[in-house]
Amino acid sequence: MSSSPVTRPYPQRAITAQVASKDDAGRTARITGTAIGKASIRLNGRQVATASDAGTGTWETTVTGLQVGQNTLVFQQYVDGQYRDQTSVTVTITDPANPGRITGNVGTADLPRGATTTVYAGYTAQSAFTTPTGTLVFTAPEGTTFAPGQDRQTGQYRDGTTWKDFGGDSLVSGSRSADGRTYSFSLGSRNWAIAAGQQFRFAMRIETPIGITTTTSSLRGTLAGSVAVGTFDTTATVTTTVTGAGLQATVEDVDVVDGTATLVGTAPAGTTSVEVTWKRDGTEVTRSVTPSSTGSWNFGLTGLANGTNPVHLVARKGSEEVASADVDVRLVIAALTASAQFPADVSERATVAGRGQPGARVEVRDGARVVVGTTVGEDGNWTVSVPAPGRGGRVRAPGRPAGPQPGHRHRAGAPGLRRGRAHHVSRRRVPRVARLAGGADRRGGRAGSCDRPR
């Protein structure tokens, strides 16, 4: 009887990334790196690569649509849908046709959940200019929106170590998109009086919802147009990080025999309840748990099935939904195997042994009568001694692999067998009792057999 396959975990590895090459004219870059085998590599929440399942866990992707200037790319590593870690690289694109008279700066900012935050996007003049013409288009970080009422802006310039307001409106005719994700401006027709190497900046008010799920993104401000000495087309990038607890959960204390697990998580500030929805013994149920004053919570799941169990979470403030999330709980029950050994003396007892889920109950039955039972050891092995068969021959009986399907009976060969008589192994309440595995069926079980000399 063949043994069940063993899946070895991939080495745990922090994500790395580096710029392998870039194309200034095409505004593209090839990024390579390493991660955990088969990890999902995401850029701004979108999967762009999958790490190889080889020992190196290598991955690569080509990023297109880059802007002239510095482009900060933040790559995140997800394993089985769960965020692990992230890293960033900066790609600097130079426009060979229009050398930048203005270049976008790179910065960082924190966005507290449930708050409106002012974030600055800055630029540096590569040559002096007075009155520019052109546009400035801001794109909000993923999951956020721009506050309305920002149609005109004065802006600021840097004088030594001090930021000072311009003498008039530098951004005019602002237009906020219907979804609040972009804000477009025309450059004000006035004397900006910017010196070579001088920095200037503009402030945008960003609204961050409590239930935001994308915690790392960026504010982008694309400035394009011309001045007397040439053209410019550049983007300022501000990498943003959402602060404060979100709706999250990790899976702990999985018991594949009892079909239970515990969710341990956090909820956004102000959450009054967390609803947990899953299938318990095949029927969808929803239960609520109240977070602590710090937002922490835990919940025990029961009646889980063998395989993947999807769980849906909803955080509420009173009756208002403020956040939602999904988590998968996996139960993998070891396949049950069995083989029999017969002594030369047919009057002696035979031995039936195999492997199964540690802690599971194995019963050998003759009809409704339990011949013998045992518990699978912590090492996955089990063995029983039973009366030897009363006559020679080969007996082959169908069986099914272990799996939480309550009430299902599973048949397999057992000592004491003789032709024309059914023997089986059953489980009182799956997965509390495992079965002797054997014969191919529609779910992939294998046939077991017992031989003794004729």
Side-chain angles (χ1 to χ4, degrees):
M1 178 176 292
S2 61
S3 61
S4 302
V6 176
T7 301
R8 299 186 184 279
Y10 294 104
Q12 301 300 299
R13 182 182 291 110
I15 186 173
T16 65
Q18 54 276 330
V19 181
S21 62
K22 65 169 184 167
D23 180 354
D24 288 325
R27 298 188 181 183
T28 65
R30 185 169 68 90
I31 311 298
T32 62
T34 58
I36 298 173
K38 291 191 175 180
S40 169
I41 310 302
R42 303 184 186 183
L43 174 63
N44 293 330
R46 179 175 62 87
Q47 181 169 335
V48 295
T50 300
S52 71
D53 58 359
T56 56
T58 57
W59 62 271
E60 74 171 71
T61 186
T62 298
V63 181
T64 62
L66 298 175
Q67 302 295 321
V68 172
Q70 291 184 322
N71 299 262
T72 299
L73 308 176
V74 180
F75 293 94
Q76 298 174 321
Q77 175 176 211
Y78 282 74
V79 178
D80 293 333
Q82 298 296 310
Y83 169 83
R84 287 299 183 92
D85 57 359
Q86 66 185 42
T87 189
S88 64
V89 295
T90 299
V91 182
T92 301
I93 297 294
T94 302
D95 191 336
N98 297 304
R101 301 300 176 179
I102 300 173
T103 56
N105 299 338
V106 175
T108 61
D110 290 337
L111 301 177
R113 291 177 183 273
T116 300
T117 308
T118 299
V119 179
Y120 289 91
Y123 303 85
T124 301
Q126 301 304 309
S127 58
F129 68 87
T130 54
T131 305
T133 59
T135 59
L136 176 54
V137 179
F138 285 107
T139 303
E142 190 71 27
T144 70
T145 57
F146 290 117
Q150 305 184 76
D151 296 347
R152 303 179 71 89
Q153 286 202 37
T154 299
Q156 296 179 324
Y157 64 94
R158 188 165 186 170
D159 183 7
T161 59
T162 305
W163 287 100
K164 298 181 178 180
D165 291 341
F166 280 121
D169 287 337
S170 302
L171 302 181
V172 297
S173 304
S175 176
R176 181 178 180 268
S177 64
D179 61 2
R181 296 277 299 125
T182 61
Y183 226 125
S184 303
F185 297 89
S186 296
L187 302 185
S189 180
R190 65 168 191 82
N191 185 356
W192 291 37
I194 295 294
Q198 191 168 29
Q199 297 183 43
F200 57 97
R201 68 183 186 179
F202 302 99
M204 295 299 295
R205 297 195 309 277
I206 299 174
E207 297 177 334
T208 305
I210 291 178
I212 188 171
T213 57
T214 302
T215 57
T216 301
S217 188
S218 62
L219 166 69
R220 297 170 66 87
T222 300
L223 182 64
S226 63
V227 291
V229 293
T231 61
F232 53 87
D233 185 352
T234 187
T235 298
T237 303
V238 182
T239 299
T240 56
T241 302
V242 175
T243 60
L247 180 58
Q248 299 175 338
T250 57
V251 182
E252 298 182 3
D253 301 328
V254 176
D255 189 328
V256 298
V257 175
D258 286 341
T260 62
T262 300
L263 296 181
V264 178
T266 58
T271 297
T272 57
S273 66
V274 175
E275 294 179 353
V276 184
T277 301
W278 81 105
K279 283 189 176 181
R280 183 173 63 190
D281 295 328
T283 301
E284 185 173 284
V285 294
T286 299
R287 297 292 184 266
S288 294
V289 60
T290 301
S292 69
S293 59
T294 61
S296 63
W297 59 273
N298 63 78
F299 184 82
L301 300 169
T302 59
L304 300 174
N306 186 25
T308 300
N309 296 261
V311 180
H312 183 62
L313 307 174
V314 175
R316 294 188 181 277
K317 185 176 183 180
S319 61
E320 176 189 2
E321 178 179 329
V322 295
S324 64
D326 293 284
V327 62
D328 288 336
V329 181
R330 285 189 53 78
L331 273 67
V332 180
I333 297 178
L336 190 67
T337 64
S339 62
Q341 293 184 344
F342 300 96
D345 184 347
V346 297
S347 65
E348 295 183 7
R349 297 172 69 85
T351 299
V352 181
R355 292 187 58 79
Q357 176 64 41
R361 176 74 176 170
V362 177
E363 292 181 351
V364 180
R365 295 188 177 190
D366 182 1
R369 182 176 65 89
V370 176
V371 177
V372 67
T374 189
T375 300
V376 180
E378 291 300 317
D379 61 356
N381 294 312
W382 64 272
T383 182
V384 293
S385 176
V386 296
R391 57 185 296 181
R394 178 181 178 90
V395 177
R396 183 179 180 89
R400 298 178 187 272
Q405 301 180 22
H408 193 85
R409 298 177 68 83
H410 305 272
R411 300 178 181 274
L417 298 176
R418 59 178 180 270
R419 300 182 186 279
R421 187 172 183 180
H423 303 263
H424 63 270
V425 176
S426 67
R427 184 168 67 176
R428 294 191 186 93
R429 184 180 183 279
V430 179
R432 174 62 68 181
V433 181
R435 286 86 59 195
L436 293 178
D441 68 1
R442 61 186 176 185
R443 292 178 300 160
R446 292 189 302 275
S449 61
C450 301
D451 290 301
R452 63 159 303 202
R454 296 181 180 274

